[in-house]
Amino acid sequence: MASITLTLTGPGITTPLTKTISKFRGKEFVRSYLHEAKLSDSYNGNGIVAGPSYASKYLWTVNAFFSDPLTSFQDVADLFWMYENWERLRTSYPGVVPNFVLSNDTTPPNFLGGRGFLVAFQTAPNSNFVGDNSYEVKFILKQLKEIL
């Protein structure tokens, strides 16, 4: 089953905080470019492309669905707890990027270049109760670099 796993470690976190998400709302692809690369062709059309030498950044738009009657509330609480700890690490240790890793198992190997990425929250998680002990959680992660 396709899934992503989020893992947060850092100072003050004795046991890594981990959450696997395997149910997504809809079938849309969860990773997209933050912006288009600024490229320009040569005047005479000989195929020389000029532009900045850095790679475009990716955003992971997560729209998760938790529906297990025994664990769905705890799953949502775990994601909020992970966000609060990430925020605490970010603000308590200026200049240090929290070790927040997204492990990708939503696509075939090497399709997106790798399986593990250092990420940061772009938006805080937002949850909605959708009935029958089911919750929908939305948040966006900014991919900082590929690590695996």
Side-chain angles (χ1 to χ4, degrees), residues 23 25 65-76 128-136:
K23 288 185 178 179
R25 180 72 102 181
F65 189 67
F66 298 105
S67 60
D68 186 318
L70 299 176
T71 63
S72 60
F73 180 79
Q74 187 61 48
D75 289 332
V76 173
N128 294 313
F129 178 69
V130 292
D132 295 330
N133 294 317
S134 299
Y135 294 86
E136 180 181 31

Side-chain angles (χ1 to χ4, degrees), residues 33-144:
Y33 287 104
L34 177 60
H35 58 77
E36 296 287 325
K38 294 181 171 114
L39 302 174
S40 58
D41 293 324
S42 65
Y43 178 72
N44 63 5
N46 64 4
I48 297 173
V49 177
S53 60
Y54 58 86
S56 294
K57 300 291 185 208
Y58 295 102
L59 290 180
W60 289 81
T61 304
V62 180
N63 192 352
F65 189 67
F66 298 105
S67 60
D68 186 318
L70 299 176
T71 63
S72 60
F73 180 79
Q74 187 61 48
D75 289 332
V76 173
D78 290 348
L79 279 171
F80 278 92
W81 180 244
M82 187 175 282
Y83 173 76
E84 290 171 6
N85 275 278
W86 175 84
E87 186 74 354
R88 181 188 55 80
L89 289 172
R90 186 187 65 78
T91 57
S92 299
Y93 301 94
V96 175
V97 177
N99 190 21
F100 188 36
V101 176
L102 181 146
S103 301
N104 174 38
D105 190 28
T106 60
T107 58
N110 300 319
F111 178 69
L112 296 174
R115 288 289 194 187
F117 307 95
L118 186 64
V119 294
F121 278 102
Q122 185 81 14
T123 63
N126 181 359
S127 68
N128 294 313
F129 178 69
V130 292
D132 295 330
N133 294 317
S134 299
Y135 294 86
E136 180 181 31
V137 179
K138 300 175 186 179
F139 57 95
I140 299 173
L141 302 170
K142 182 176 181 181
Q143 182 175 314
L144 304 176

Side-chain angles (χ1 to χ4, degrees), residues 11-45:
I13 298 176
T14 55
T15 303
L17 302 175
T18 302
K19 179 56 56 189
T20 298
I21 300 170
S22 58
K23 288 185 178 179
F24 302 97
R25 180 72 102 181
K27 295 182 179 183
E28 62 274 2
F29 199 62
V30 297
R31 189 173 96 157
S32 61
Y33 287 104
L34 177 60
H35 58 77
E36 296 287 325
K38 294 181 171 114
L39 302 174
S40 58
D41 293 324
S42 65
Y43 178 72
N44 63 5

